[in-house]
Amino acid sequence: MAKPQQDATHEHMARLILALRSQGVTDAKVLNAIEKTPRELFTPELFKERAFEDSALPIACGQTISQPFIVGLMTQALKVEKRDRVLEIGTGSGYQTAVLSRLARLVYTIERYRTLMKDAEARFKLLGLTNVITRFGDGGKGWAAQAPFDKCMVTAAAPGEPTELLKQLKPTGVLVAPIGKGPVQTLRRYTGDGEGGFDVEDLLDVRFVPLLDGVAKEL
Ligand code: SAH
Protein backbone atom coordinates (compact mmCIF):
# COMPACT_ATOMS: atom_id res chain seq x y z
CA MET A 1 0.00 0.00 0.00
CA ALA A 2 1.24 3.52 -0.80
CA LYS A 3 2.33 5.62 2.17
CA PRO A 4 0.21 8.70 3.01
CA GLN A 5 3.15 10.95 2.04
CA GLN A 6 3.33 9.32 -1.41
CA ASP A 7 -0.42 9.76 -1.84
CA ALA A 8 -0.14 13.44 -0.96
CA THR A 9 2.73 13.97 -3.42
CA HIS A 10 0.81 12.14 -6.10
CA GLU A 11 -2.26 14.28 -5.51
CA HIS A 12 -0.26 17.53 -5.53
CA MET A 13 1.36 16.53 -8.80
CA ALA A 14 -1.98 15.56 -10.37
CA ARG A 15 -3.39 18.96 -9.42
CA LEU A 16 -0.35 20.77 -10.84
CA ILE A 17 -0.64 18.90 -14.15
CA LEU A 18 -4.34 19.80 -14.40
CA ALA A 19 -3.53 23.46 -13.72
CA LEU A 20 -0.84 23.50 -16.41
CA ARG A 21 -3.17 21.85 -18.92
CA SER A 22 -5.92 24.39 -18.25
CA GLN A 23 -3.41 27.19 -18.89
CA GLY A 24 -2.45 25.82 -22.29
CA VAL A 25 0.35 23.33 -21.68
CA THR A 26 -1.39 20.54 -23.57
CA ASP A 27 1.50 18.56 -25.09
CA ALA A 28 1.22 15.12 -23.48
CA LYS A 29 4.98 14.46 -23.75
CA VAL A 30 5.78 17.72 -21.98
CA LEU A 31 3.23 17.07 -19.21
CA ASN A 32 4.62 13.56 -18.82
CA ALA A 33 8.17 14.92 -18.47
CA ILE A 34 7.00 17.35 -15.78
CA GLU A 35 5.14 14.58 -13.99
CA LYS A 36 8.31 12.46 -13.91
CA THR A 37 10.43 15.28 -12.44
CA PRO A 38 10.19 15.61 -8.64
CA ARG A 39 10.25 19.41 -8.19
CA GLU A 40 10.69 19.05 -4.42
CA LEU A 41 14.20 17.80 -5.12
CA PHE A 42 15.07 21.12 -6.78
CA THR A 43 13.65 23.50 -4.18
CA PRO A 44 15.50 24.59 -1.02
CA GLU A 45 14.55 22.87 2.25
CA LEU A 46 12.66 25.96 3.39
CA PHE A 47 10.28 25.84 0.42
CA LYS A 48 9.81 22.08 -0.01
CA GLU A 49 6.17 22.30 1.00
CA ARG A 50 5.57 24.77 -1.82
CA ALA A 51 7.31 22.65 -4.48
CA PHE A 52 4.00 21.79 -6.17
CA GLU A 53 2.64 25.31 -6.18
CA ASP A 54 2.60 26.90 -9.61
CA SER A 55 4.98 29.68 -8.63
CA ALA A 56 8.65 30.58 -8.96
CA LEU A 57 10.65 30.08 -5.72
CA PRO A 58 13.98 31.45 -4.45
CA ILE A 59 17.09 29.26 -4.70
CA ALA A 60 20.71 29.94 -3.63
CA CYS A 61 22.80 32.82 -5.02
CA GLY A 62 19.76 35.14 -5.27
CA GLN A 63 18.35 33.19 -8.23
CA THR A 64 14.98 31.47 -8.77
CA ILE A 65 13.56 28.14 -9.85
CA SER A 66 11.05 28.89 -12.61
CA GLN A 67 7.30 28.59 -12.25
CA PRO A 68 6.09 25.16 -13.50
CA PHE A 69 3.68 26.80 -15.96
CA ILE A 70 6.57 28.74 -17.54
CA VAL A 71 8.74 25.60 -17.64
CA GLY A 72 5.87 23.75 -19.36
CA LEU A 73 5.15 26.54 -21.79
CA MET A 74 8.80 27.11 -22.75
CA THR A 75 9.40 23.39 -23.17
CA GLN A 76 6.31 23.07 -25.35
CA ALA A 77 7.33 26.14 -27.39
CA LEU A 78 10.74 24.60 -28.06
CA LYS A 79 9.17 21.60 -29.86
CA VAL A 80 11.79 19.19 -28.55
CA GLU A 81 12.17 15.93 -30.43
CA LYS A 82 13.78 12.81 -29.08
CA ARG A 83 16.88 12.98 -31.28
CA ASP A 84 17.55 16.65 -30.41
CA ARG A 85 20.69 18.05 -28.84
CA VAL A 86 19.51 20.99 -26.74
CA LEU A 87 21.54 23.88 -25.32
CA GLU A 88 20.19 25.46 -22.13
CA ILE A 89 21.53 28.70 -20.67
CA GLY A 90 21.00 29.25 -16.92
CA THR A 91 20.96 25.86 -15.17
CA GLY A 92 19.86 27.36 -11.83
CA SER A 93 18.33 24.55 -9.78
CA GLY A 94 18.47 22.19 -12.75
CA TYR A 95 14.69 21.71 -12.79
CA GLN A 96 14.15 22.90 -16.37
CA THR A 97 17.23 20.89 -17.43
CA ALA A 98 15.76 17.72 -15.91
CA VAL A 99 12.45 18.25 -17.73
CA LEU A 100 14.30 18.77 -21.04
CA SER A 101 16.44 15.69 -20.44
CA ARG A 102 13.31 13.50 -20.47
CA LEU A 103 12.49 14.71 -23.99
CA ALA A 104 15.81 15.23 -25.77
CA ARG A 105 18.77 13.05 -26.68
CA LEU A 106 21.31 15.32 -24.99
CA VAL A 107 21.03 18.51 -22.94
CA TYR A 108 24.04 20.83 -22.65
CA THR A 109 23.53 23.29 -19.79
CA ILE A 110 25.61 26.29 -18.68
CA GLU A 111 25.52 28.15 -15.33
CA ARG A 112 27.61 31.12 -14.10
CA TYR A 113 27.42 30.20 -10.37
CA ARG A 114 29.68 27.35 -9.30
CA THR A 115 27.49 26.52 -6.28
CA LEU A 116 24.31 26.22 -8.35
CA MET A 117 26.12 24.10 -10.92
CA LYS A 118 27.44 21.67 -8.28
CA ASP A 119 24.04 21.34 -6.59
CA ALA A 120 22.33 20.77 -9.93
CA GLU A 121 24.93 18.15 -10.92
CA ALA A 122 24.25 16.26 -7.67
CA ARG A 123 20.53 16.23 -8.48
CA PHE A 124 21.10 14.95 -12.04
CA LYS A 125 23.21 12.14 -10.58
CA LEU A 126 20.60 11.27 -7.99
CA LEU A 127 17.92 11.07 -10.68
CA GLY A 128 20.19 9.04 -12.98
CA LEU A 129 20.00 11.62 -15.79
CA THR A 130 22.96 10.51 -17.87
CA ASN A 131 22.17 12.67 -20.92
CA VAL A 132 22.91 16.02 -19.24
CA ILE A 133 26.28 17.67 -19.89
CA THR A 134 27.09 20.58 -17.58
CA ARG A 135 29.44 23.52 -17.82
CA PHE A 136 30.38 26.33 -15.47
CA GLY A 137 30.76 29.44 -17.61
CA ASP A 138 29.16 32.39 -19.38
CA GLY A 139 26.23 30.99 -21.31
CA GLY A 140 25.79 34.17 -23.33
CA LYS A 141 28.69 32.94 -25.45
CA GLY A 142 27.03 29.59 -26.03
CA TRP A 143 29.05 26.39 -26.41
CA ALA A 144 30.80 26.67 -29.78
CA ALA A 145 32.67 23.36 -29.50
CA GLN A 146 29.36 21.46 -29.29
CA ALA A 147 27.45 23.53 -31.87
CA PRO A 148 25.30 23.36 -33.92
CA PHE A 149 22.33 22.61 -31.66
CA ASP A 150 18.83 21.57 -32.71
CA LYS A 151 17.27 23.69 -29.99
CA CYS A 152 18.29 26.34 -27.47
CA MET A 153 16.49 27.55 -24.36
CA VAL A 154 17.58 30.60 -22.39
CA THR A 155 16.17 30.78 -18.84
CA ALA A 156 17.54 34.22 -17.94
CA ALA A 157 16.45 37.50 -19.58
CA ALA A 158 18.64 38.52 -22.52
CA PRO A 159 18.80 42.31 -22.98
CA GLY A 160 18.52 42.04 -26.78
CA GLU A 161 18.64 39.50 -29.60
CA PRO A 162 20.88 36.58 -28.51
CA THR A 163 22.98 36.70 -31.69
CA GLU A 164 25.78 34.45 -30.49
CA LEU A 165 23.33 31.71 -29.51
CA LEU A 166 21.36 32.03 -32.76
CA LYS A 167 24.63 31.48 -34.65
CA GLN A 168 25.07 28.15 -32.84
CA LEU A 169 21.70 26.80 -33.99
CA LYS A 170 21.11 24.48 -36.95
CA PRO A 171 19.52 26.26 -39.97
CA THR A 172 16.02 25.11 -38.96
CA GLY A 173 16.70 25.18 -35.22
CA VAL A 174 14.48 26.79 -32.58
CA LEU A 175 15.49 29.14 -29.75
CA VAL A 176 13.19 30.29 -26.95
CA ALA A 177 14.27 33.14 -24.66
CA PRO A 178 12.92 35.95 -22.52
CA ILE A 179 14.04 39.17 -24.21
CA GLY A 180 14.10 42.57 -22.54
CA LYS A 181 15.94 44.80 -20.10
CA GLY A 182 13.14 45.62 -17.65
CA PRO A 183 11.43 43.60 -14.89
CA VAL A 184 8.96 42.23 -17.45
CA GLN A 185 10.27 40.68 -20.65
CA THR A 186 8.78 39.10 -23.77
CA LEU A 187 9.14 35.38 -24.24
CA ARG A 188 10.27 35.12 -27.83
CA ARG A 189 10.64 32.14 -30.19
CA TYR A 190 13.10 32.23 -33.09
CA THR A 191 12.63 29.54 -35.72
CA GLY A 192 15.34 29.12 -38.36
CA ASP A 193 13.99 29.43 -41.92
CA GLY A 194 16.74 27.20 -43.33
CA GLU A 195 18.38 30.09 -45.20
CA GLY A 196 20.10 31.89 -42.36
CA GLY A 197 17.08 33.96 -41.29
CA PHE A 198 14.58 33.52 -38.47
CA ASP A 199 10.84 33.71 -38.03
CA VAL A 200 10.21 35.53 -34.75
CA GLU A 201 7.13 35.11 -32.56
CA ASP A 202 6.28 36.83 -29.28
CA LEU A 203 4.61 34.34 -26.96
CA LEU A 204 3.83 36.12 -23.66
CA ASP A 205 5.10 38.45 -20.96
CA VAL A 206 7.42 36.84 -18.41
CA ARG A 207 9.65 37.81 -15.46
CA PHE A 208 13.13 36.32 -15.37
CA VAL A 209 16.36 37.18 -13.58
CA PRO A 210 18.81 38.85 -16.01
CA LEU A 211 21.36 37.09 -18.17
CA LEU A 212 24.63 38.55 -16.88
CA ASP A 213 28.05 38.75 -18.50
CA GLY A 214 30.92 36.56 -17.34
CA VAL A 215 30.96 34.06 -14.48
CA ALA A 216 29.97 35.01 -10.91
CA LYS A 217 32.89 35.96 -8.65
CA GLU A 218 30.99 34.76 -5.58
CA LEU A 219 30.71 31.00 -5.08
N1 SAH B 1 16.09 27.07 -15.37
C1 SAH B 1 16.31 27.41 -13.98
C2 SAH B 1 16.01 28.85 -13.71
C3 SAH B 1 17.23 29.52 -13.35
S1 SAH B 1 17.17 31.26 -13.07
C4 SAH B 1 15.53 26.49 -13.06
O1 SAH B 1 14.67 25.75 -13.54
O2 SAH B 1 15.83 26.48 -11.87
C5 SAH B 1 18.38 31.78 -14.26
C6 SAH B 1 19.78 31.26 -14.06
O3 SAH B 1 20.56 31.81 -15.11
C7 SAH B 1 20.43 31.68 -12.75
O4 SAH B 1 20.88 30.55 -12.08
C8 SAH B 1 21.61 32.56 -13.22
O5 SAH B 1 22.76 32.44 -12.40
C9 SAH B 1 21.86 32.01 -14.61
N2 SAH B 1 22.58 32.93 -15.51
C10 SAH B 1 22.43 34.26 -15.68
N3 SAH B 1 23.30 34.73 -16.60
C11 SAH B 1 24.00 33.65 -17.04
C12 SAH B 1 25.05 33.47 -18.00
N4 SAH B 1 25.56 34.48 -18.70
N5 SAH B 1 25.54 32.23 -18.18
C13 SAH B 1 25.05 31.17 -17.49
N6 SAH B 1 24.08 31.27 -16.57
C14 SAH B 1 23.55 32.49 -16.36
Side-chain angles (χ1 to χ4, degrees), residues 63-65 90 92-93 96 111-113 116 138-139 155 211-212:
Q63 305 303 313
T64 49
I65 171 171
S93 68
Q96 171 74 73
E111 170 57 52
R112 66 187 290 279
Y113 278 98
L116 293 178
D138 180 358
T155 66
L211 185 75
L212 300 173

Side-chain angles (χ1 to χ4, degrees), residues 156-158 178-187 204-210:
I179 311 284
K181 289 190 182 123
V184 179
Q185 309 95 30
T186 304
L187 187 65
L204 82 160
D205 285 351
V206 287
R207 286 170 176 272
F208 274 87
V209 295

Side-chain angles (χ1 to χ4, degrees), residues 5 8 43 45 59 66 71 73 75 93-94 103 105 107 111 141 146 154 164 173 176 193-194 199 202 209 212 217:
Q5 181 59 41
T43 48
E45 208 50 51
I59 57 172
S66 305
V71 169
L73 203 86
T75 309
S93 68
L103 298 164
R105 179 155 59 98
V107 182
E111 170 57 52
K141 299 191 174 68
Q146 297 294 345
V154 187
E164 202 47 52
V176 172
D193 61 11
D199 296 326
D202 286 349
V209 295
L212 300 173
K217 291 198 184 68

Side-chain angles (χ1 to χ4, degrees), residues 135-151:
R135 180 177 183 182
F136 164 68
D138 180 358
K141 299 191 174 68
W143 196 328
Q146 297 294 345
F149 298 95
D150 298 284
K151 307 283 158 67

